[in-house]
Coordinates of all heavy atoms in Angstrom, one line a residue:
M28 N -8.8 77.9 -73.1 CA -7.6 77.0 -72.8 C -7.0 77.4 -71.4 O -7.0 78.6 -71.0 CB -6.5 77.3 -73.9 CG -6.9 76.8 -75.2 SD -6.0 75.3 -75.8 CE -4.5 76.1 -76.4
E29 N -6.6 76.4 -70.7 CA -6.0 76.7 -69.4 C -4.8 75.7 -69.2 O -4.7 74.7 -69.9 CB -7.1 76.4 -68.3 CG -7.7 75.1 -68.4 CD -8.8 74.8 -67.4 OE1 -8.6 75.2 -66.3 OE2 -9.8 74.2 -67.7
F30 N -4.0 76.1 -68.2 CA -2.9 75.1 -67.8 C -3.5 73.9 -67.2 O -4.3 73.9 -66.3 CB -2.0 75.9 -66.9 CG -0.9 76.6 -67.6 CD1 -0.9 78.0 -67.5 CD2 0.1 76.0 -68.3 CE1 0.0 78.8 -68.2 CE2 1.0 76.7 -68.9 CZ 1.0 78.1 -68.9
K31 N -3.0 72.8 -67.7 CA -3.4 71.5 -67.1 C -2.2 70.7 -66.7 O -1.1 70.9 -67.2 CB -4.2 70.7 -68.2 CG -5.5 71.3 -68.5 CD -6.4 70.1 -68.8 CE -7.8 70.6 -69.2 NZ -8.4 69.7 -70.2
K32 N -2.4 69.8 -65.7 CA -1.3 68.9 -65.3 C -1.4 67.6 -66.1 O -2.5 67.0 -66.1 CB -1.4 68.7 -63.8 CG -0.2 68.2 -63.2 CD -0.3 68.1 -61.7 CE 1.0 67.5 -61.1 NZ 0.8 66.9 -59.9
C33 N -0.4 67.3 -66.8 CA -0.4 66.0 -67.5 C -0.7 64.8 -66.6 O 0.0 64.7 -65.6 CB 0.9 65.9 -68.2 SG 1.1 64.3 -69.1
E34 N -1.6 64.0 -67.1 CA -2.0 62.9 -66.3 C -0.9 61.7 -66.3 O -1.0 60.8 -65.5 CB -3.4 62.3 -66.7 CG -4.5 63.2 -66.4 CD -5.8 62.6 -66.5 OE1 -5.9 61.4 -66.7 OE2 -6.8 63.4 -66.5
R35 N 0.0 61.9 -67.2 CA 1.0 60.9 -67.4 C 2.3 61.2 -66.7 O 2.8 60.4 -65.9 CB 1.3 60.6 -68.9 CG 0.9 59.3 -69.4 CD 1.5 59.1 -70.8 NE 2.5 58.1 -70.7 CZ 2.4 56.9 -71.2 NH1 1.3 56.6 -72.0 NH2 3.4 56.0 -71.2
C36 N 2.8 62.4 -67.0 CA 4.2 62.8 -66.5 C 4.1 63.9 -65.4 O 5.1 64.2 -64.8 CB 5.1 63.2 -67.6 SG 4.7 64.7 -68.5
G37 N 3.0 64.5 -65.3 CA 2.8 65.5 -64.2 C 3.3 66.9 -64.6 O 3.2 67.8 -63.8
C38 N 3.7 67.1 -65.8 CA 4.2 68.4 -66.2 C 3.0 69.3 -66.5 O 1.9 68.8 -66.8 CB 5.1 68.4 -67.4 SG 4.3 68.1 -68.9
F39 N 3.2 70.6 -66.5 CA 2.1 71.5 -66.8 C 2.1 71.9 -68.3 O 3.2 72.1 -68.8 CB 2.2 72.8 -65.9 CG 1.7 72.5 -64.5 CD1 2.7 72.2 -63.5 CD2 0.4 72.5 -64.1 CE1 2.3 71.8 -62.3 CE2 0.0 72.2 -62.8 CZ 1.0 71.9 -61.9
F40 N 1.0 72.0 -68.9 CA 1.0 72.3 -70.3 C -0.3 73.0 -70.7 O -1.3 73.0 -69.9 CB 1.1 71.0 -71.1 CG -0.1 70.1 -71.0 CD1 -1.0 69.9 -72.0 CD2 -0.2 69.4 -69.8 CE1 -2.1 69.1 -71.8 CE2 -1.3 68.5 -69.6 CZ -2.2 68.4 -70.6
L41 N -0.3 73.6 -71.9 CA -1.5 74.3 -72.3 C -2.2 73.6 -73.4 O -1.7 73.5 -74.5 CB -1.0 75.7 -72.8 CG -2.1 76.8 -72.9 CD1 -2.7 77.2 -71.5 CD2 -1.4 78.1 -73.4
S42 N -3.3 73.0 -73.1 CA -4.1 72.2 -74.1 C -5.4 71.9 -73.7 O -5.8 72.1 -72.5 CB -3.2 70.9 -74.4 OG -4.0 70.0 -75.1
E43 N -6.2 71.3 -74.5 CA -7.6 70.8 -74.2 C -7.5 69.4 -73.7 O -8.5 69.0 -73.2 CB -8.5 71.0 -75.5 CG -8.8 72.4 -75.9 CD -9.6 73.2 -74.9 OE1 -10.5 72.5 -74.3 OE2 -9.4 74.4 -74.8
S44 N -6.5 68.7 -74.0 CA -6.5 67.3 -73.7 C -6.0 67.1 -72.3 O -5.6 68.0 -71.6 CB -5.6 66.5 -74.7 OG -4.3 66.9 -74.6
N45 N -5.9 65.8 -71.8 CA -5.5 65.5 -70.5 C -4.1 65.2 -70.3 O -3.6 65.1 -69.2 CB -6.4 64.3 -69.9 CG -7.8 64.7 -69.8 OD1 -8.1 65.9 -69.5 ND2 -8.7 63.8 -70.1
V46 N -3.3 65.0 -71.4 CA -1.9 64.7 -71.3 C -1.2 65.7 -72.2 O -1.7 66.2 -73.2 CB -1.6 63.3 -71.8 CG1 -2.1 62.2 -70.8 CG2 -2.1 63.0 -73.2
C47 N 0.1 65.9 -72.0 CA 0.9 66.8 -72.7 C 1.2 66.2 -74.1 O 1.0 65.0 -74.3 CB 2.2 67.2 -72.0 SG 3.4 65.9 -71.9
E48 N 1.9 67.0 -74.9 CA 2.1 66.6 -76.3 C 3.1 65.4 -76.3 O 2.9 64.4 -77.1 CB 2.8 67.7 -77.1 CG 2.0 68.1 -78.3 CD 2.6 69.3 -79.0 OE1 3.6 69.1 -79.6 OE2 2.1 70.4 -78.8
N49 N 4.1 65.4 -75.5 CA 5.0 64.3 -75.4 C 4.3 63.0 -75.1 O 4.5 61.9 -75.7 CB 6.0 64.5 -74.3 CG 7.2 65.3 -74.7 OD1 7.5 65.4 -75.9 ND2 7.8 65.9 -73.7
C50 N 3.4 63.1 -74.1 CA 2.7 61.9 -73.7 C 1.6 61.4 -74.6 O 1.2 60.3 -74.6 CB 2.2 62.1 -72.2 SG 3.5 62.3 -71.0
S51 N 1.1 62.4 -75.3 CA -0.1 62.0 -76.2 C 0.3 61.0 -77.2 O -0.4 60.1 -77.6 CB -0.8 63.2 -76.7 OG -0.1 63.7 -77.8
S52 N 1.6 61.1 -77.7 CA 2.1 60.1 -78.7 C 2.3 58.8 -78.1 O 2.0 57.7 -78.7 CB 3.3 60.6 -79.4 OG 4.4 60.8 -78.5
K53 N 2.7 58.8 -76.8 CA 2.8 57.5 -76.0 C 1.5 56.9 -75.8 O 1.3 55.7 -75.9 CB 3.6 57.7 -74.7 CG 5.0 58.0 -74.9 CD 5.6 58.2 -73.4 CE 6.9 59.0 -73.5 NZ 7.3 59.5 -72.2
D54 N 0.6 57.8 -75.4 CA -0.8 57.4 -75.2 C -1.4 56.7 -76.5 O -2.0 55.6 -76.4 CB -1.7 58.6 -74.9 CG -1.9 58.7 -73.4 OD1 -1.1 58.2 -72.6 OD2 -2.8 59.5 -73.0
N55 N -1.2 57.4 -77.6 CA -1.7 56.8 -78.9 C -1.2 55.4 -79.2 O -1.9 54.5 -79.7 CB -1.5 57.8 -80.0 CG -2.3 59.0 -79.9 OD1 -3.4 59.0 -79.3 ND2 -1.9 60.1 -80.5
L56 N 0.1 55.3 -78.9 CA 0.7 54.0 -79.1 C 0.1 52.9 -78.2 O -0.2 51.8 -78.7 CB 2.2 54.0 -78.8 CG 3.2 54.0 -79.9 CD1 4.6 54.4 -79.4 CD2 3.3 52.6 -80.5
E57 N -0.1 53.2 -77.0 CA -0.6 52.2 -76.0 C -2.1 52.0 -76.3 O -2.5 50.8 -76.1 CB -0.4 52.7 -74.6 CG 1.1 52.7 -74.2 CD 1.4 53.0 -72.8 OE1 0.4 53.6 -72.1 OE2 2.5 52.8 -72.3
I58 N -2.8 53.0 -76.7 CA -4.2 52.8 -77.0 C -4.4 51.9 -78.2 O -5.2 50.9 -78.2 CB -4.9 54.1 -77.3 CG1 -5.1 54.9 -76.0 CG2 -6.3 53.9 -77.9 CD1 -5.6 56.3 -76.1
S59 N -3.5 51.9 -79.2 CA -3.6 51.1 -80.4 C -3.2 49.7 -80.0 O -3.7 48.7 -80.5 CB -2.8 51.6 -81.6 OG -1.5 51.9 -81.3
K60 N -2.2 49.6 -79.1 CA -1.8 48.3 -78.5 C -3.0 47.6 -77.8 O -3.3 46.4 -78.0 CB -0.7 48.5 -77.5 CG 0.1 47.2 -77.2 CD 1.0 47.4 -76.1 CE 2.5 47.6 -76.5 NZ 3.4 47.7 -75.3
L61 N -3.7 48.4 -77.0 CA -4.9 47.9 -76.2 C -6.0 47.5 -77.2 O -6.6 46.5 -77.0 CB -5.3 49.0 -75.3 CG -6.3 48.7 -74.2 CD1 -5.8 47.6 -73.3 CD2 -6.7 49.9 -73.4
R62 N -6.2 48.3 -78.2 CA -7.2 48.0 -79.2 C -6.9 46.7 -79.9 O -7.8 45.8 -80.0 CB -7.2 49.1 -80.3 CG -8.5 49.3 -81.0 CD -8.4 50.4 -82.0 NE -8.5 51.8 -81.3 CZ -7.8 52.8 -81.6 NH1 -6.9 52.8 -82.5 NH2 -8.0 54.0 -80.9
N63 N -5.7 46.4 -80.3 CA -5.2 45.2 -80.8 C -5.4 44.0 -79.9 O -5.9 42.9 -80.2 CB -3.7 45.2 -81.2 CG -3.5 45.7 -82.5 OD1 -4.3 45.4 -83.4 ND2 -2.4 46.4 -82.7
Y64 N -5.1 44.3 -78.6 CA -5.2 43.3 -77.6 C -6.7 42.8 -77.4 O -6.9 41.6 -77.4 CB -4.7 43.9 -76.3 CG -5.0 43.0 -75.0 CD1 -4.2 41.9 -74.8 CD2 -6.0 43.2 -74.2 CE1 -4.4 41.0 -73.7 CE2 -6.2 42.4 -73.1 CZ -5.4 41.3 -72.9 OH -5.7 40.5 -71.8
F65 N -7.6 43.7 -77.4 CA -9.0 43.4 -77.3 C -9.5 42.7 -78.6 O -10.4 41.9 -78.5 CB -9.8 44.6 -77.0 CG -9.8 45.1 -75.5 CD1 -9.6 46.4 -75.2 CD2 -9.9 44.1 -74.5 CE1 -9.6 46.8 -73.9 CE2 -9.9 44.5 -73.2 CZ -9.7 45.8 -72.9
E66 N -9.0 43.0 -79.7 CA -9.4 42.4 -81.0 C -8.9 40.9 -81.1 O -9.5 40.1 -81.6 CB -8.9 43.2 -82.1 CG -9.9 44.3 -82.5 CD -9.2 45.3 -83.5 OE1 -8.2 44.9 -84.2 OE2 -9.8 46.4 -83.7
N67 N -7.6 40.7 -80.6 CA -7.0 39.5 -80.9 C -7.0 38.4 -79.8 O -6.8 37.2 -80.1 CB -5.5 39.7 -81.4 CG -5.5 40.6 -82.6 OD1 -6.3 40.4 -83.5 ND2 -4.6 41.5 -82.6
E68 N -7.1 38.9 -78.6 CA -7.0 37.9 -77.5 C -8.3 37.8 -76.7 O -9.1 38.8 -76.8 CB -5.8 38.3 -76.6 CG -4.5 38.4 -77.3 CD -3.3 38.6 -76.4 OE1 -3.4 37.9 -75.3 OE2 -2.4 39.3 -76.7
V69 N -8.5 36.8 -76.0 CA -9.6 36.7 -75.1 C -9.2 37.7 -73.9 O -8.2 37.4 -73.3 CB -9.8 35.3 -74.6 CG1 -10.9 35.3 -73.6 CG2 -10.0 34.3 -75.7
P70 N -9.9 38.8 -73.8 CA -9.4 39.7 -72.8 C -9.4 39.2 -71.4 O -10.3 38.4 -71.0 CB -10.5 40.9 -72.9 CG -11.2 40.6 -74.2 CD -11.1 39.1 -74.5
A71 N -8.4 39.6 -70.7 CA -8.3 39.2 -69.3 C -9.5 39.9 -68.5 O -10.1 40.8 -69.0 CB -7.0 39.7 -68.7
T72 N -9.8 39.4 -67.3 CA -10.9 39.9 -66.6 C -10.5 40.9 -65.5 O -11.3 41.4 -64.8 CB -11.6 38.7 -65.9 OG1 -10.7 37.9 -65.2 CG2 -12.4 37.9 -66.9
S73 N -9.2 41.2 -65.4 CA -8.8 42.3 -64.5 C -7.8 43.2 -65.1 O -7.1 42.8 -66.1 CB -8.3 41.7 -63.2 OG -7.0 41.3 -63.5
V74 N -7.8 44.4 -64.7 CA -6.9 45.4 -65.2 C -5.5 45.0 -65.0 O -4.6 45.2 -65.8 CB -7.2 46.8 -64.6 CG1 -6.2 47.8 -65.1 CG2 -8.6 47.2 -64.9
D75 N -5.3 44.4 -63.8 CA -3.9 43.9 -63.5 C -3.4 42.9 -64.5 O -2.3 43.0 -65.0 CB -3.9 43.2 -62.2 CG -3.9 44.2 -61.0 OD1 -3.4 45.3 -61.2 OD2 -4.4 43.8 -59.9
S76 N -4.2 41.9 -65.0 CA -3.7 41.0 -66.0 C -3.6 41.6 -67.3 O -2.7 41.3 -68.1 CB -4.8 39.8 -66.1 OG -5.5 39.7 -65.0
I77 N -4.4 42.6 -67.7 CA -4.2 43.3 -69.0 C -2.9 44.1 -68.9 O -2.1 44.1 -69.9 CB -5.4 44.2 -69.3 CG1 -6.7 43.5 -69.4 CG2 -5.1 45.0 -70.5 CD1 -7.9 44.4 -69.5
S78 N -2.6 44.6 -67.8 CA -1.3 45.3 -67.6 C -0.2 44.5 -67.8 O 0.8 44.7 -68.5 CB -1.3 46.0 -66.2 OG 0.0 46.5 -65.9
I79 N -0.2 43.2 -67.3 CA 0.8 42.3 -67.5 C 1.0 41.8 -68.9 O 2.0 41.8 -69.5 CB 0.6 41.1 -66.5 CG1 0.8 41.4 -65.1 CG2 1.6 39.9 -66.9 CD1 0.2 40.5 -64.1
D80 N -0.2 41.6 -69.5 CA -0.2 41.1 -70.9 C 0.3 42.2 -71.9 O 0.9 41.9 -72.9 CB -1.6 40.7 -71.4 CG -2.0 39.4 -70.7 OD1 -1.1 38.7 -70.2 OD2 -3.2 39.1 -70.7
T81 N -0.1 43.4 -71.6 CA 0.2 44.5 -72.6 C 1.5 45.3 -72.2 O 2.0 46.0 -73.1 CB -0.9 45.5 -72.7 OG1 -1.2 46.1 -71.5 CG2 -2.2 44.8 -73.3
G82 N 1.8 45.3 -70.9 CA 3.0 46.1 -70.5 C 2.6 47.6 -70.3 O 3.4 48.4 -70.0
I83 N 1.3 47.8 -70.3 CA 0.8 49.1 -70.0 C 0.5 49.3 -68.5 O -0.1 48.3 -67.9 CB -0.5 49.4 -70.8 CG1 -0.2 49.3 -72.3 CG2 -1.1 50.9 -70.5 CD1 -1.5 49.3 -73.2
T84 N 0.9 50.4 -67.9 CA 0.7 50.5 -66.4 C -0.8 50.5 -66.1 O -1.7 51.0 -66.9 CB 1.3 51.7 -65.8 OG1 0.7 52.9 -66.4 CG2 2.8 51.8 -66.2
V85 N -1.1 50.0 -64.9 CA -2.6 50.1 -64.4 C -3.2 51.5 -64.5 O -4.3 51.7 -64.9 CB -2.7 49.4 -63.0 CG1 -4.0 49.6 -62.4 CG2 -2.2 48.0 -63.0
K86 N -2.4 52.4 -64.0 CA -2.8 53.8 -64.0 C -3.2 54.3 -65.4 O -4.3 54.8 -65.6 CB -1.7 54.7 -63.5 CG -2.1 56.1 -63.2 CD -0.8 56.9 -62.8 CE -1.2 58.4 -62.8 NZ 0.0 59.2 -62.9
N87 N -2.4 54.0 -66.4 CA -2.7 54.4 -67.7 C -3.9 53.6 -68.3 O -4.8 54.1 -69.0 CB -1.5 54.2 -68.6 CG -0.5 55.3 -68.4 OD1 -0.8 56.4 -68.1 ND2 0.8 55.0 -68.6
L88 N -3.9 52.3 -68.0 CA -5.1 51.5 -68.4 C -6.4 52.0 -68.0 O -7.3 52.1 -68.7 CB -4.9 50.1 -68.0 CG -4.0 49.1 -68.8 CD1 -3.8 47.8 -68.1 CD2 -4.5 48.9 -70.2
N89 N -6.4 52.3 -66.7 CA -7.6 52.9 -66.1 C -8.1 54.1 -66.9 O -9.3 54.3 -67.1 CB -7.5 53.2 -64.6 CG -7.6 51.9 -63.8 OD1 -8.3 51.0 -64.1 ND2 -6.8 51.9 -62.7
R90 N -7.1 54.9 -67.3 CA -7.4 56.1 -68.0 C -8.0 55.8 -69.4 O -9.0 56.3 -69.8 CB -6.2 57.0 -68.1 CG -6.3 58.4 -68.4 CD -5.2 59.3 -67.9 NE -3.9 58.7 -68.3 CZ -3.3 58.8 -69.5 NH1 -3.9 59.5 -70.4 NH2 -2.1 58.3 -69.7
Y91 N -7.4 54.9 -70.1 CA -7.8 54.5 -71.4 C -9.2 53.8 -71.4 O -10.0 54.0 -72.3 CB -6.8 53.5 -72.1 CG -5.4 54.0 -72.2 CD1 -4.3 53.1 -72.2 CD2 -5.1 55.4 -72.3 CE1 -3.0 53.6 -72.2 CE2 -3.8 55.9 -72.4 CZ -2.8 55.0 -72.3 OH -1.5 55.4 -72.4
L92 N -9.4 53.0 -70.4 CA -10.6 52.3 -70.3 C -11.8 53.2 -70.1 O -13.0 52.7 -70.2 CB -10.5 51.2 -69.2 CG -9.6 50.0 -69.6 CD1 -9.3 49.1 -68.4 CD2 -10.2 49.2 -70.7
E93 N -11.6 54.4 -69.7 CA -12.7 55.4 -69.6 C -13.2 55.9 -70.9 O -14.2 56.5 -71.1 CB -12.3 56.6 -68.7 CG -12.2 56.3 -67.2 CD -11.6 57.4 -66.4 OE1 -11.4 58.5 -67.0 OE2 -11.2 57.2 -65.3
N94 N -12.3 55.6 -72.0 CA -12.7 56.0 -73.3 C -14.0 55.2 -73.8 O -14.2 54.1 -73.5 CB -11.6 55.7 -74.3 CG -10.4 56.6 -74.1 OD1 -10.5 57.6 -73.3 ND2 -9.4 56.4 -74.9
E95 N -14.8 55.9 -74.5 CA -16.0 55.3 -75.0 C -15.8 54.1 -75.8 O -16.5 53.1 -75.6 CB -16.7 56.4 -76.0 CG -18.1 56.1 -76.5 CD -19.1 56.2 -75.3 OE1 -19.0 57.2 -74.6 OE2 -19.9 55.3 -75.1
E96 N -14.8 54.0 -76.6 CA -14.5 52.8 -77.4 C -14.2 51.6 -76.7 O -14.4 50.5 -77.1 CB -13.4 53.1 -78.5 CG -12.0 53.2 -77.9 CD -11.0 53.0 -78.9 OE1 -10.9 52.0 -79.6 OE2 -10.3 54.0 -79.2
F97 N -13.8 51.7 -75.4 CA -13.4 50.5 -74.6 C -14.6 50.2 -73.6 O -14.4 49.3 -72.8 CB -12.1 50.8 -73.9 CG -10.9 50.9 -74.8 CD1 -10.1 51.9 -74.7 CD2 -10.7 49.9 -75.8 CE1 -9.0 52.0 -75.6 CE2 -9.6 50.0 -76.7 CZ -8.8 51.1 -76.6
S98 N -15.6 51.0 -73.6 CA -16.6 50.8 -72.5 C -17.2 49.5 -72.5 O -17.5 49.0 -71.4 CB -17.7 51.9 -72.7 OG -18.3 51.8 -74.0
K99 N -17.4 48.8 -73.6 CA -17.9 47.4 -73.6 C -17.0 46.4 -72.9 O -17.4 45.4 -72.4 CB -18.4 47.0 -75.0 CG -17.2 46.8 -75.9 CD -17.7 46.4 -77.3 CE -16.6 46.5 -78.3 NZ -17.0 46.1 -79.7
F100 N -15.7 46.8 -73.0 CA -14.7 45.9 -72.3 C -14.6 46.2 -70.8 O -14.6 45.4 -70.0 CB -13.4 46.0 -73.0 CG -13.4 45.6 -74.4 CD1 -13.2 46.6 -75.4 CD2 -13.6 44.3 -74.8 CE1 -13.2 46.2 -76.7 CE2 -13.6 43.9 -76.1 CZ -13.5 44.9 -77.1
S101 N -14.5 47.6 -70.6 CA -14.3 48.0 -69.2 C -15.5 47.7 -68.3 O -15.3 47.4 -67.1 CB -14.0 49.5 -69.1 OG -15.0 50.2 -69.7
S102 N -16.7 47.5 -68.9 CA -17.8 47.2 -68.1 C -17.8 45.8 -67.5 O -18.4 45.4 -66.6 CB -19.1 47.4 -68.9 OG -19.1 46.5 -70.0
K103 N -16.9 44.9 -68.2 CA -16.7 43.6 -67.7 C -15.6 43.4 -66.7 O -15.4 42.4 -66.1 CB -16.5 42.7 -68.9 CG -17.6 42.5 -69.8 CD -17.3 41.6 -71.0 CE -18.3 41.7 -72.1 NZ -17.8 41.5 -73.4
L104 N -14.9 44.5 -66.5 CA -13.7 44.4 -65.6 C -14.1 45.0 -64.2 O -15.0 45.7 -64.1 CB -12.5 45.3 -66.2 CG -12.0 44.8 -67.6 CD1 -11.2 45.9 -68.1 CD2 -11.3 43.5 -67.4
N105 N -13.2 44.5 -63.3 CA -13.4 45.1 -62.0 C -12.5 46.3 -61.9 O -11.3 46.2 -61.6 CB -13.0 44.1 -60.9 CG -13.8 42.8 -61.0 OD1 -15.0 42.8 -61.2 ND2 -13.1 41.7 -61.0
I106 N -13.1 47.5 -62.1 CA -12.3 48.7 -62.0 C -12.7 49.5 -60.8 O -13.9 49.7 -60.5 CB -12.6 49.5 -63.3 CG1 -12.0 48.7 -64.5 CG2 -11.8 50.8 -63.2 CD1 -12.3 49.4 -65.8
N107 N -11.7 49.9 -60.1 CA -12.0 50.7 -58.9 C -12.0 52.2 -59.3 O -11.0 52.7 -59.7 CB -10.9 50.6 -57.8 CG -10.6 49.1 -57.6 OD1 -11.6 48.3 -57.4 ND2 -9.3 48.7 -57.6
T108 N -13.2 52.7 -59.3 CA -13.2 54.1 -59.7 C -13.7 55.1 -58.5 O -14.1 54.6 -57.6 CB -14.2 54.3 -60.9 OG1 -15.4 53.6 -60.6 CG2 -13.7 53.9 -62.2
Ligands
LIG11 ZN1 3.2 64.4 -70.1

């Protein structure tokens, strides 16, 4: 275990994950929102439009879309990596 900088709020914390405990609950909420979005709507073709539709920031979206479970969606999007 090492100190990491939270990718969401920038605070330092001790954990194996990429975000602190405070933010991981927010992350989980937004990830389930995103999961719903992909299940129920015709997904937008850009991260910007998904951000507008879901209210999730582009920065966070890019992070979630790196997850394995969203890879089939993210491969269709124009993501600057
Ligand atoms: Zn945080």
Side-chain angles (χ1 to χ4, degrees):
M28 296 248 277
E29 53 181 321
F30 273 109
K31 289 214 183 148
K32 195 174 181 204
C33 174
E34 291 190 10
R35 248 192 110 112
C36 69
C38 75
F39 287 95
F40 66 105
L41 199 60
S42 166
E43 293 292 325
S44 63
N45 293 324
V46 292
C47 71
E48 239 174 78
N49 274 338
C50 293
S51 75
S52 58
K53 291 180 198 163
D54 265 16
N55 288 334
L56 250 167
E57 290 185 345
I58 287 169
S59 51
K60 195 191 260 184
L61 191 60
R62 206 174 284 141
N63 270 328
Y64 173 77
F65 282 134
E66 275 171 14
N67 299 320
E68 304 189 36
V69 180
T72 50
S73 78
V74 178
D75 283 333
S76 335
I77 298 174
S78 171
I79 291 162
D80 289 343
T81 59
I83 302 170
T84 65
V85 171
K86 188 184 169 203
N87 286 328
L88 276 174
N89 282 327
R90 199 153 49 77
Y91 304 148
L92 289 168
E93 284 172 13
N94 290 356
E95 190 70 48
E96 71 164 295
F97 296 126
S98 59
K99 62 180 171 182
F100 301 110
S101 56
S102 61
K103 292 177 191 150
L104 299 166
N105 304 314
I106 298 175
N107 311 315
T108 44

